Amino acid sequence: MLKITFHGQACFEIASKSSTIIIDPFLTGNPLTDISPGDITCDAVLVTHGHGDHLGDTMRIATENNAPVIATFELACYLQKKGVQVHPMHVGGGHAFPFGHVKLTPASHGGMIDAEDGPYFTVPCGFLIRMEDKTIYHAGDTGLLADMELFGRFNEIDLALLPIGDNFTMGPDDALIAVSLLKPRLVVPMHYNTFDLIAQDPEAFRKRVEAKTESKCKVIGPQESFEL
Ligand code: NI
Ligand code: MN
C-alpha cells in the first residue's frame, strides 16, 4: 500500500512501508501549501526540471534529510556543485533504488535551471516510478506527447499525475487525450490553480475523464492524501 500526498503544483510525496520520496518539492512561495520544507522527511528527492515551481526547496530538503536528488545529468551536476548529494540520470534511463525503480521519460517543456549564478540548462523529464507493486507516472511539465501512447502500451500505469493548468503545460483538453493514451487506472490532475494564469476547474476535468475514458480520476487538494 502506498500513501500519496499532494502539496500543490507538481509536488507529491509517495510513501511505502519502508521509504518516502518527494517529487518537485516547491513549498516556499507555493500559495497552496501550508507545510514548510522542514516538515518533510524523505529518502530521495526527484526533480523533473529546473524551473522554480519544481526545483523549489530541493536543496534544503535533500541536505536536511541526507537524501539524494534524482534528476537529469545537468541538473544533478548543478546541484552537486552546490554540495547536494545527487544521482544523475537521463531520459530513457532507469535505475533500481532502495525505495523502488525510477525511469526518466521525455517531457516537452523548457530546460532552464533557476539558478542565481546561471543560466544552466537541461532537458525536462517525467518519471515512471515503480514502488512496491505499483507503477506511477509523474508527467512533469509537458505538452501532450505521442510518446505517452508507448508509456501506456508498455506499462500498466496505476496512477498518472498529469498537469492540466494550460498556458505552460497541457490544458484539460490535451490532458484528456493523454489519459486515453496512457490508460492509467487512476488520474490525479496537478499544476493548476497555484496561480491565476493556470486556473482550471479540476472537477470538470474529472467528469470528462470518467465519461470519456476507462480511467478513474481523483481530485485532491493540497495536503490531502490517499492510498494506492
Ligand atoms: Ni516548468
Ligand atoms: Mn511548472
Side-chain angles (χ1 to χ4, degrees):
M1 188 87 78
L2 298 176
K3 186 182 176 195
I4 316 289
T5 308
F6 186 41
H7 293 302
Q9 196 66 341
C11 181
F12 288 86
E13 260 182 286
I14 305 171
S16 68
K17 214 181 258 179
S18 54
S19 320
T20 300
I21 63 170
I22 191 163
I23 307 167
D24 286 357
F26 166 55
L27 304 175
T28 304
N30 179 345
L32 297 183
T33 286
D34 62 6
I35 61 162
S36 85
D39 299 329
I40 301 294
T41 305
C42 65
D43 300 289
V45 184
L46 281 65
V47 185
T48 60
H49 64 295
H51 292 164
D53 60 317
H54 299 259
L55 186 57
D57 300 291
T58 293
M59 286 189 215
R60 179 175 163 191
I61 292 170
T63 304
E64 287 182 0
N65 285 278
N66 193 29
V69 177
I70 298 164
T72 54
F73 179 76
E74 297 80 12
L75 181 49
C77 284
Y78 165 72
L79 292 168
Q80 194 170 38
K81 274 188 203 149
K82 300 281 166 189
V84 176
Q85 195 189 136
V86 297
H87 180 106
M89 295 183 70
H90 236 304
V91 173
H95 184 78
F97 293 90
F99 65 82
H101 189 271
V102 176
K103 185 174 181 180
L104 268 57
T105 67
S108 187
H109 190 65
M112 197 175 80
I113 297 169
D114 279 340
E116 282 166 14
D117 55 346
Y120 295 95
F121 291 90
T122 187
V123 294
C125 72
F127 295 114
L128 274 166
I129 301 161
R130 184 99 190 135
M131 272 173 90
E132 291 184 347
D133 56 347
K134 297 290 195 310
T135 299
I136 298 170
Y137 171 56
H138 187 297
D141 277 3
T142 186
L144 179 64
L145 292 173
D147 308 58
M148 289 172 178
E149 195 272 329
L150 292 180
F151 309 159
R153 202 193 317 168
F154 295 105
N155 298 276
E156 283 199 16
I157 299 172
D158 294 287
L159 171 64
L161 307 168
L162 300 180
I164 65 160
D166 219 343
N167 195 78
F168 296 111
T169 67
M170 294 188 284
D173 292 351
D174 282 355
L176 186 64
I177 300 170
V179 174
S180 72
L181 300 177
L182 293 162
K183 300 182 177 22
R185 240 177 286 264
L186 179 67
V187 183
V188 170
M190 63 174 181
H191 211 273
Y192 64 90
N193 290 357
T194 319
F195 310 107
D196 290 345
L197 201 50
I198 55 172
Q200 294 296 338
D201 177 354
E203 197 48 39
F205 176 71
R206 185 190 68 74
K207 286 184 185 145
R208 288 174 73 196
V209 167
E210 297 199 342
K212 303 224 155 118
T213 75
E214 306 277 290
S215 303
K216 292 272 170 219
C217 182
K218 192 189 271 291
V219 174
I220 58 167
Q223 281 68 252
E224 287 179 9
S225 299
F226 66 94
E227 286 182 340
L228 183 72

